[in-house]
Amino acid sequence: KVVRQVYLDRPDPTITNRASASVLVAVASVEGIDAGRWNSASGERPAAIEQVGPANPDTSMIFRPVALRIEEAVRGTVVHNPTTVRWIGGQAGFEFAAVEAGASPNLVDGGRYLFFLGMSIDAGGQRGTDLMFLDAWPISPADLVSTPLEGEVPLTSVATTANAAPTFPDSNR
């Protein structure tokens, strides 16, 4: 059964907006996507679950750990490589968390992407120590980044734009 419909209130997916909200922007390959789990300390379902939405900021959710091999930090500092990040949504037991349509790309093992990563939030609403997946855009073998609004952009141009982006106050950079 679906226990969570996650609504992400985010600005338009431009290079500047995504970089501004991120603590790390990195070129990385997906090395594995694990089964879903809850973001509680135990990884188990919290006792009380409510529908998340703009009027209800409850932060308990299901996520999938995604193992990444980071090739290059475009903005920010890589602390661990390889690293595992949290991808919101998925299945834990018989329960599902669905992310709004278009808010989460289809990652594939071995795929190369430009990742926008922020700090995770635990079920109690506290900022965690793990990185959380904010967005990911595929990178072609010719180093062209497929962006949702700006089209195919050379990785070097994306890096220049990302590094010039302001920092949002809540990005924890």
Side-chain angles (χ1 to χ4, degrees), residues 4 6 38-40 46 48-53 56-63 86 88 120-127 132:
R4 268 283 178 252
V6 180
W38 287 96
N39 66 334
S40 62
I49 298 297
E50 311 253 337
Q51 181 77 11
V52 171
N56 182 6
D58 177 30
T59 57
S60 53
M61 66 185 73
I62 296 172
F63 71 94
R86 294 178 178 202
I88 298 172
S120 64
I121 305 237
D122 69 18
Q126 300 300 308
R127 194 172 298 276
M132 182 176 75

Side-chain angles (χ1 to χ4, degrees), residues 83-141:
T83 192
T84 299
V85 300
R86 294 178 178 202
W87 185 14
I88 298 172
Q91 179 178 353
F94 294 104
E95 298 178 306
F96 295 89
V99 178
E100 65 184 293
S104 187
N106 292 321
L107 298 180
V108 295
D109 279 337
R112 185 171 176 245
Y113 301 88
L114 180 69
F115 282 91
F116 297 90
L117 304 170
M119 298 308 296
S120 64
I121 305 237
D122 69 18
Q126 300 300 308
R127 194 172 298 276
T129 57
D130 296 333
L131 291 173
M132 182 176 75
F133 167 101
L134 301 176
D135 213 340
W137 299 339
I139 303 173
S140 75

Side-chain angles (χ1 to χ4, degrees), residues 12 14 17 34 40 63 69-70 74 87 94-95 101 140 173:
D12 287 338
T14 65
N17 286 344
D34 289 341
S40 62
F63 71 94
R69 167 92 38 209
I70 298 175
V74 171
W87 185 14
F94 294 104
E95 298 178 306
S140 75
R173 283 181 46 106

